[in-house]
Amino acid sequence: MKKILTIFASAAIGIMANAEITPTDNGAKITVDSLTTEVIVCSPSQVRVLKYYGNRPETANCPTGRELKRVTAKGKYKIDAGEYYVALNEKDGNVSFWDHEGVLIMAEQHRTASLTPLPGENGRYTVKQDFQFGRAEVDSIICPAAKTPVNLKGSLTEFCKTSEALPSPYVTTEKGFGILWNSPAPGQVDDTPERPVKKAGDVTFTSDNAPAIDYYFLYPAPADPHPFTGCCRK
């Protein structure tokens, strides 16, 4: 009986143990359940997030050319980007973004990163990520690149699939931040309340055929995220 209890106790400790976070020149990375999450600070207002299995996808990096302030506190590895700070959860690799007063701006919903392998496509996935906005409710989600920008709140909207779809998966909110879903494939922005998520959330991005989850968090958000092209890049 004691042996069984010891096994269960060891298993519980393994489940609760935090994964190791590796600092990089311009951010940090962590691997949990074979999924690597990499945070890359591109500038004081722009942070890129990559989530992938196996080898890192071939992609341009964005060095900062400056020292980054880093601190570990309450299970989070925090990096001060300049305009805000980004945090990696040491237990599950979840990424969140906070202002310097400690108020949450936006976070990934915990363990909602999804990379589903495509049959016959080595290293290609249908990718999805659910996001939760901060404590202040967001009333509008706008695609600035649309010919006639409309509020995407409460709707499911395709990007880059047809001439009627959104021309870019870059959206902004009235709270001042933006998300550039940096996917090489068409997909969807989903804010419908009935969509299948682990808990009620604010927005879900999906791409049909991509090597990784890849997005930029921009705060303050520019009207045009150039030079980050986002949609349908090769």
Side-chain angles (χ1 to χ4, degrees):
M1 184 65 178
K2 289 184 178 179
K3 184 177 181 180
I4 294 175
L5 289 176
T6 301
I7 292 173
F8 276 115
S10 299
I13 292 171
I15 291 172
M16 297 302 293
N18 292 348
E20 181 178 357
I21 290 178
T22 303
T24 61
D25 289 343
N26 52 1
K29 63 181 180 179
I30 184 173
T31 299
V32 179
D33 297 333
S34 300
L35 179 66
T36 297
T37 297
E38 187 171 346
V39 167
I40 305 163
V41 178
C42 300
S43 76
S45 62
Q46 300 165 347
V47 169
R48 186 180 189 181
V49 177
L50 285 170
K51 292 177 178 282
Y52 53 89
Y53 288 116
N55 296 326
R56 189 182 195 268
E58 291 186 13
T59 180
N61 218 336
C62 42
T64 61
R66 60 191 175 92
E67 290 293 326
L68 296 173
K69 296 178 182 178
R70 309 161 188 257
V71 63
T72 300
K74 296 181 179 180
K76 290 184 174 65
Y77 184 91
K78 301 178 180 181
I79 304 172
D80 190 339
E83 296 289 342
Y84 54 91
Y85 69 86
V86 54
L88 261 175
N89 188 299
E90 294 179 326
K91 186 177 294 183
D92 61 8
N94 193 72
V95 180
S96 54
F97 305 88
W98 306 74
D99 70 17
H100 287 121
E101 302 301 318
V103 176
L104 177 66
I105 306 170
M106 189 190 81
E108 300 172 350
Q109 284 201 31
H110 286 272
R111 295 190 179 274
T112 58
S114 174
L115 294 88
T116 304
L118 293 172
E121 295 282 348
N122 187 31
R124 307 293 291 190
Y125 306 86
T126 296
V127 299
K128 182 176 73 170
Q129 178 69 63
D130 299 325
F131 295 100
Q132 188 80 40
F133 296 156
R135 298 171 189 169
E137 183 177 352
V138 167
D139 297 320
S140 64
I141 303 173
I142 304 294
C143 176
K147 292 181 180 178
T148 305
V150 296
N151 192 351
L152 307 181
K153 283 290 292 181
S155 66
L156 186 154
T157 311
E158 294 183 340
F159 58 80
C160 301
K161 291 189 177 183
T162 66
S163 58
E164 291 78 25
L166 294 179
S168 167
Y170 172 57
V171 300
T172 61
T173 75
E174 84 281 1
K175 301 300 181 184
F177 65 88
I179 307 168
L180 172 62
W181 184 250
N182 195 42
S183 172
Q188 299 174 331
V189 181
D190 191 353
D191 187 60
T192 54
E194 66 274 11
R195 73 188 190 279
V197 293
K198 288 191 174 182
K199 66 176 183 178
D202 290 291
V203 68
T204 298
F205 282 82
T206 305
S207 284
D208 300 335
N209 187 327
I213 290 173
D214 184 356
Y215 70 89
Y216 287 87
F217 177 81
L218 303 102
Y219 182 69
D224 181 355
H226 183 78
F228 307 122
T229 54
C231 179
C232 306
R233 63 178 172 81
K234 301 299 183 184

